[in-house]
Amino acid sequence: MPGAIYAEGLVKTFGDVKALDGVDLDVPEGTVLGLLGPNGAGKTTAVRCLTTLLRPDSGKLTVAGLDVLKQPNEVRRSIGLSGQFAAVDEYLTGRENLQMVGQLYQMKARAAKARADELLDQFNLADAADRTAKTYSGGMRRRLDLAAALVVSPPVMFMDEPTTGLDPRNRQMLWEVIKQLVSGGTTLLLTTQYLEEADHLAHDIAVVDHGKVIARGTSDQLKARTGGERVEVVVHERDHIEIASEVLRGFGKGDTTVEEHTRKLTVPVTGGAKLLAEVIRDLDTRGIEIDDIGLRRPTLDDVFLSLTGHLAEEKTEENGADTTPDTKDRKQKKEAAK
Ligand SMILES: Nc1ncnc2c1ncn2[C@@H]1O[C@H](COP(=O)(O)OP(=O)(O)O)[C@@H](O)[C@H]1O
Ligand SMILES: [Mg+2]
């Protein structure tokens, strides 16, 4: 039986650009799928097709057991969506925006107001609740947009790069909100450019590049393909390499590699920062002086490099290209203004 979100052979082209080139997805009910990929990979296009906002060229799509192409209205009623394109009304206040969403979902006025207040608090927007959204900063708008998507808890949610543009505190807050939502049984498809985020929130990850799913698995499986998490130590004295290597062996999940000339030792680990602290303590106890030590986690770039042989960054350059003239223009204007 297909999951709560299902796509088979999804294709969408824009002129010459094949934004989606035969994507298959299957998200079991009550789980989170992280769609991970760099700018231009096709993430937003996939979300828009699945949420009835865009008609695919071909493919079979179902959401909450409904055929997306044949039953778009029913699909819209059973999903929540947040993303760059979701509707925040500029001329309404934050509170009015949220109350309006509640009313659209047939909530009673009092319940809609209570829910709006709760969300304004949760999303750190209480102080700005009675200002029009027009006056909000980018980050505030983003939070209002996310709050609007959460007024009711639909069985299936889509979030397109929910934390892009949020500061670390609000990112953390949103992660908590998402976890609550999912523990309530919601199925979620979340797109992101950050492995760390998919790692934190997603049961399963599909890595997309050029409109294709190039890898899928749990975060641990993907990381394992890139070498996983590791501790790197640079010892001060060459004579200490051997004993340091022994210490690391006790913590490692695999073989320690040693680079004699840089006095650098690397060992694969699991256990993160807590383990790193233990390693430092142990090295210290044995009187091994260290020049440098760190926990190295695979990043999206590492995953990409190992999967495709190129960095995710190469593509942002393409996108960056259209912003360059603008930036240059602004710089020139700034110079001229002096
Ligand atoms: N409306 C559109 N018209 C033309 N090209 C588009 C349109 N939307 C997206 N694309 C192109 O499709 C590709 C995938 O875009 P998108 O789905 O927005 O990627 P992502 O969300 O992963 O950054 C990109 O090459 C983008 O330029
Ligand atoms: Mg996008």
Side-chain angles (χ1 to χ4, degrees):
M1 209 184 106
I5 304 171
Y6 180 80
E8 190 183 319
L10 176 57
V11 173
K12 177 71 193 178
T13 49
F14 296 105
D16 294 342
V17 179
K18 226 174 194 174
L20 296 173
D21 191 4
V23 166
D24 301 331
L25 300 171
D26 194 355
V27 192
E29 203 178 310
T31 69
V32 181
L33 175 74
L35 208 57
L36 176 72
N39 248 323
K43 303 181 297 296
T44 297
T45 307
V47 169
R48 300 194 71 190
C49 288
L50 283 161
T51 53
T52 78
L53 295 171
L54 203 58
R55 205 177 169 82
D57 301 352
S58 59
K60 178 177 157 49
L61 303 179
T62 65
V63 168
L66 301 159
D67 188 309
V68 176
L69 297 172
K70 294 191 189 129
Q71 302 163 279
N73 293 326
E74 288 87 340
V75 167
R76 265 178 231 140
R77 274 198 290 273
S78 40
I79 62 175
L81 169 66
S82 88
Q84 295 115 341
F85 37 76
V88 164
D89 190 322
E90 299 258 289
Y91 295 95
L92 296 182
T93 66
R95 177 175 281 116
E96 287 165 347
N97 262 291
L98 297 182
Q99 285 176 356
M100 191 187 66
V101 175
Q103 276 156 12
L104 286 177
Y105 280 99
Q106 263 99 54
M107 283 170 86
K108 293 239 161 63
R110 181 182 297 192
K113 186 176 177 307
R115 182 66 183 136
D117 285 341
E118 195 179 358
L119 286 162
L120 289 163
D121 253 353
Q122 198 166 20
F123 282 82
N124 302 316
L125 289 169
D127 292 343
D130 297 313
R131 275 164 43 197
T132 56
K134 208 170 44 181
T135 67
Y136 282 19
S137 70
M140 290 166 79
R141 262 172 217 238
R142 185 114 212 136
R143 280 180 273 141
L144 182 60
D145 172 61
L146 287 158
L150 293 166
V151 170
V152 293
S153 315
V156 180
M157 277 280 292
F158 294 85
M159 293 188 167
D160 194 14
E161 297 200 27
T163 63
T164 299
L166 293 190
D167 59 33
R169 184 176 63 117
N170 280 310
R171 172 173 298 186
Q172 202 66 44
M173 174 278 296
L174 184 66
W175 283 3
E176 290 312 314
V177 172
I178 290 175
K179 281 185 200 158
Q180 270 173 34
L181 182 76
V182 174
S183 69
T186 296
T187 307
L188 172 65
L189 187 151
L190 160 116
T191 79
T192 182
Q193 299 195 36
Y194 310 113
L195 179 63
E196 194 200 352
E197 182 157 293
D199 197 357
H200 218 84
L201 298 173
H203 299 100
D204 264 301
I205 297 172
V207 183
V208 285
D209 188 29
H210 294 301
K212 284 199 167 96
V213 175
I214 57 168
R216 66 182 84 218
T218 64
S219 126
D220 283 345
Q221 286 164 345
L222 291 177
K223 283 189 201 161
R225 291 175 66 163
T226 67
E229 196 178 52
R230 52 217 179 265
V231 167
E232 286 180 0
V233 185
V234 177
V235 296
H236 187 63
E237 285 174 47
R238 187 159 296 197
D239 289 350
H240 284 163
I241 288 179
E242 202 168 317
I243 172 132
S245 165
E246 214 169 274
V247 170
L248 292 183
R249 199 172 306 133
F251 290 100
K253 294 282 166 222
D255 292 337
T256 308
T257 50
V258 178
E259 231 178 65
E260 290 274 348
H261 65 290
T262 56
R263 304 180 311 280
K264 182 159 102 180
L265 300 96
T266 307
V267 67
V269 297
T270 53
K274 198 165 160 233
L275 180 121
L276 181 65
E278 286 171 29
V279 174
I280 294 172
R281 240 176 281 137
D282 206 348
L283 289 169
D284 195 43
T285 313
R286 299 197 197 200
I288 301 167
E289 204 181 327
I290 49 184
D291 283 348
D292 195 17
I293 186 163
L295 187 68
R296 182 114 165 77
R297 289 196 169 95
T299 62
L300 174 59
D301 281 344
D302 294 330
V303 172
F304 254 77
L305 196 56
S306 94
L307 290 172
T308 66
H310 67 79
L311 284 173
E313 209 117 2
E314 283 165 28
K315 260 160 280 99
T316 36
E317 251 165 43
E318 245 171 66
N319 294 334
D322 9 290
T323 60
T324 317
D326 183 43
T327 321
K328 216 189 269 166
D329 200 40
R330 252 184 278 138
K331 251 190 215 148
Q332 274 165 2
K333 276 190 191 139
K334 230 183 185 174
E335 290 300 317
K338 272 185 193 164

